[in-house]
């Protein structure tokens, strides 16, 4: 029988957010996120600056996570950290910190796959905003973020099957790149979401590449928006400003429709009605609204995590760590970060 009181310190540093969280079994006691503002002026994440900011922030972020959880270091059962995928220099900061702290406290060290952690955020108590239930196995999860776009079939806490993924850009990357073309600040996903609320999603029919099976492609959509804008701006230099809401709404409509079409196909083929959303782009209000409508049509039960568990956070790392802890799946001190699996 497993210890009834498992306290995990989760550490996440895969991209530009330094985060630490403390969990007690499947409850999150604290979840601290320090977002790095330094990248804004460059219009994207600068890896070297991200790594340096993680170094500057990590001690304080971990201290704050322990303090707000009201937990002492010696109460921790294990330390879980993001091993990858992500930016290598960033991952190395969290990895070295977690290794040193686990070694000093003489407690187990647990490596976590960042994408699997996005999925396991659904098992955090109170995470789901749709209802009180947690998904049952097997379920499908559409994971959409700045770095990944996948449909996964989740067979158990430990068995993740990728059944579709992007062949080029990630969905969030497409949002961010289109935002940049429109002169909007980085990261642009949430800004497009806001502007699109007052736009016509059917005004501009942007094209999206057709790809096989349950895979996605967003690079062609991005280029389609770019060429369209260039053509229109040559005729009217104020075109973007005059049509910003409609451009955002039309792009967003095309991207979201493509995501949901593939999800419907996958759900039918797998005969699965429990459908979850994960990753930063799942914060998108149009995606959520369209998913709810699709769920009604297909009799799906859907799972959407709270905002703070959608974007990068250490609570999901602690949760993934908790299930690995229950399974006795620990890492050794010679483990290293990996940018790609
Ligand atoms: O999961 P996440 O925080 O980090 C990665 O692992 O990539 O996702 C960040 C991505 C960015 O591309 C950001 O623009 C996008 O999520 N995002 C959104 C929204 N909020 C964040 N995209 C569309 N609509 C939103 N409301
Ligand atoms: Zn992520």
């Amino acid at each position: 029988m497993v210890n009834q009181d498992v306290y995990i310190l989760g550490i996440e540093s895969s991209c530009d957010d330094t985060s630490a969280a403390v969990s007690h079994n499947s409850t999150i006691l604290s979840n601290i996120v320090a977002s790095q503002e330094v990248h804004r002026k460059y219009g994207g994440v600068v890896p070297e600056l991200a790594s340096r900011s993680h170094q500057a922030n990590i001690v304080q972020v971990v201290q704050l996570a322990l303090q707000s959880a009201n937990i002492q270091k010696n109460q921790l059962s294990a330390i879980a950290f993001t091993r990858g995928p992500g930016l290598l220099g960033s991952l190395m900061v969290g990895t070295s910190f977690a290794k040193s702290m686990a070694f000093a406290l003489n407690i187990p060290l647990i490596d976590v796959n960042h994408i699997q952690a996005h999925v396991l955020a659904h098992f955090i108590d109170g995470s789901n905003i749709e209802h009180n239930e947690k998904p049952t196995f097997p379920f499908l999860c559409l994971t959409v973020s700045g770095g990944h776009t996948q449909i996964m079939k989740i067979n158990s806490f430990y068995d993740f099957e990728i059944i579709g993924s992007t062949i080029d850009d990630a969905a969030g990357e497409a949002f961010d790149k289109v935002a940049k073309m429109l002169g909007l600040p980085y990261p642009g996903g949430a800004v497009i979401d806001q502007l699109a609320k007052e736009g016509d999603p059917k005004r501009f029919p942007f094209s999206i590449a057709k790809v096989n099976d349950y895979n996605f492609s967003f690079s062609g959509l991005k280029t389609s928006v770019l060429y369209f804008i260039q053509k229109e701006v040559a005729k009217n230099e104020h075109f973007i400003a005059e049509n910003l809401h409609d451009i955002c709404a039309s792009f967003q409509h095309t991207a979201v429709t493509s995501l949901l079409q593939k999800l419907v196909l996958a759900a039918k083929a797998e005969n699965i009605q429990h459908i979850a959303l994960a990753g930063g782009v799942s914060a998108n209000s149009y995606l959520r609204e369209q998913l709810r409508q699709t769920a009604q049509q297909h009799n799906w039960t859907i799972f959407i995590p709270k905002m703070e568990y959608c974007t990068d956070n250490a609570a999901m790392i602690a949760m993934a760590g908790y299930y690995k802890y229950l399974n006795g799946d620990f890492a050794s001190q010679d483990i290293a970060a990996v940018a790609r699996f």
Side-chain angles (χ1 to χ4, degrees):
M1 187 59 203
V2 196
N3 184 346
Q4 288 304 296
D5 283 309
V6 180
Y7 292 97
I8 307 274
L9 169 68
I11 295 176
E12 153 65 29
S13 72
S14 66
C15 191
D16 60 339
D17 292 316
T18 317
S19 182
V22 177
S23 62
H24 172 217
N25 300 339
S26 53
T27 303
I28 296 302
L29 302 181
S30 65
N31 182 32
I32 307 295
V33 183
S35 298
Q36 303 177 0
E37 295 301 317
V38 61
H39 308 286
R40 273 184 192 276
K41 61 175 181 276
Y42 300 100
V45 177
V46 184
E48 181 54 34
L49 295 180
S51 166
R52 274 189 242 164
S53 296
H54 285 305
Q55 287 179 40
N57 292 339
I58 196 153
V59 174
Q60 232 185 340
V61 167
V62 168
Q63 262 171 356
L64 213 54
L66 288 166
Q67 252 171 34
S68 34
N70 203 13
I71 290 293
Q72 305 299 318
K73 288 193 289 283
N74 59 12
Q75 285 175 272
L76 293 173
S77 315
I79 298 182
F81 69 98
T82 307
R83 184 183 182 206
L87 301 170
L88 193 59
S90 290
L91 290 163
M92 281 165 69
V93 179
T95 304
S96 336
F97 189 93
K99 282 166 71 171
S100 322
M101 193 163 166
F103 182 73
L105 295 171
N106 196 22
I107 54 175
L109 176 69
I110 301 172
D111 60 304
V112 168
N113 174 313
H114 179 88
I115 307 177
Q116 294 179 359
H118 269 300
V119 176
L120 293 176
H122 290 284
F123 294 95
I124 295 173
D125 292 346
S127 148
N128 186 12
I129 59 166
E130 298 296 298
H131 43 80
N132 287 329
E133 286 168 51
K134 292 181 182 179
T136 53
F137 303 115
F139 67 95
L140 290 187
C141 187
L142 173 68
T143 309
V144 270
S145 73
H148 11 269
T149 301
Q150 291 181 338
I151 299 179
M152 272 186 277
K153 183 180 173 192
I154 319 301
N155 297 311
S156 77
F157 291 117
Y158 314 103
D159 182 1
F160 299 74
E161 228 179 286
I162 299 172
I163 60 173
S165 53
T166 180
I167 58 165
D168 41 55
D169 292 353
E173 199 179 343
F175 270 87
D176 296 339
K177 285 180 178 168
V178 167
K180 199 169 180 179
M181 287 174 207
L182 299 172
L184 303 172
Y186 175 87
V191 187
I192 289 189
D193 187 357
Q194 273 307 316
L195 291 167
K197 286 191 172 131
E198 285 160 45
D200 176 358
K202 304 274 173 70
R203 168 101 185 274
F204 304 118
F206 295 124
S207 57
I208 189 149
K210 291 204 173 15
V211 279
N212 289 343
D213 306 323
Y214 314 122
N215 296 319
F216 304 97
S217 164
F218 291 102
S219 164
L221 170 60
K222 174 191 70 189
T223 316
S224 154
V225 177
L226 178 67
Y227 288 168
F228 171 76
I229 294 172
Q230 283 174 342
K231 195 177 83 199
E232 295 300 326
V233 168
K235 291 186 266 174
N236 165 15
E237 61 175 318
H238 304 297
F239 179 80
I240 293 181
E242 287 166 7
N243 297 279
L244 190 57
H245 296 276
D246 290 346
I247 302 171
C248 289
S250 300
F251 156 74
Q252 179 175 267
H253 171 73
T254 314
V256 165
T257 305
S258 148
L259 290 169
L260 292 178
Q261 274 172 353
K262 290 300 174 94
L263 195 53
V264 168
L265 286 178
K268 273 191 188 153
E270 299 287 341
N271 193 21
I272 291 179
Q273 266 99 27
H274 273 206
I275 310 290
L277 205 54
V281 182
S282 56
N284 186 268
S285 57
Y286 190 71
L287 174 59
R288 289 174 172 218
E289 180 194 307
Q290 295 296 308
L291 177 69
R292 288 185 186 115
Q293 286 186 17
T294 311
Q296 281 190 340
Q297 287 161 15
H298 298 276
N299 209 12
W300 290 349
T301 304
I302 54 170
F303 302 85
I304 305 179
K306 279 183 184 160
M307 259 309 285
E308 67 252 46
Y309 303 138
C310 282
T311 48
D312 286 350
N313 67 87
M316 67 183 193
I317 305 302
M319 199 46 33
Y322 172 61
Y323 287 104
K324 284 188 102 172
Y325 183 91
L326 295 184
N327 215 19
D329 188 356
F330 304 136
S332 73
Q333 274 291 332
D334 54 19
I335 194 162
V338 271
R340 284 170 184 274
F341 284 99

